[in-house]
Amino acid sequence: MEFVQPIRDRKKFETMKKILKSQNIRDYCLFVLGINSGLRVSDLLKLVIADLLDEKV
């Protein structure tokens, strides 16, 4: 069984964000949301806009 290691280098994060943002805004948004929330990919893909909006605003 293979283990996935987290990306710890900030330069790698920034490079990944640049590449994703230039190619596909959806993937960029999912990446940024994932690294900031800690959600798994399977959980990120199930999200809908209503999950992210604050109805109180």
Side-chain angles (χ1 to χ4, degrees):
M1 182 168 162
E2 294 185 35
F3 294 97
V4 176
Q5 295 295 318
I7 301 171
R8 292 189 172 95
D9 185 3
R10 184 172 290 278
K11 288 180 186 178
K12 288 182 182 180
F13 272 119
E14 295 306 319
T15 301
M16 181 74 122
K17 284 169 52 176
K18 269 187 195 175
I19 292 168
L20 289 171
K21 193 171 188 178
S22 69
Q23 293 180 355
N24 189 324
I25 195 71
R26 173 189 170 266
D27 292 347
Y28 168 76
C29 291
L30 287 171
F31 179 75
V32 172
L33 182 61
I35 62 174
N36 288 309
S37 67
L39 291 173
R40 296 179 298 214
V41 173
S42 60
D43 296 328
L44 287 171
L45 294 175
K46 293 177 187 175
L47 291 175
V48 294
I49 301 259
D51 295 333
L52 304 175
L53 295 177
D54 186 8
E55 294 179 11
K56 296 177 185 176
V57 177

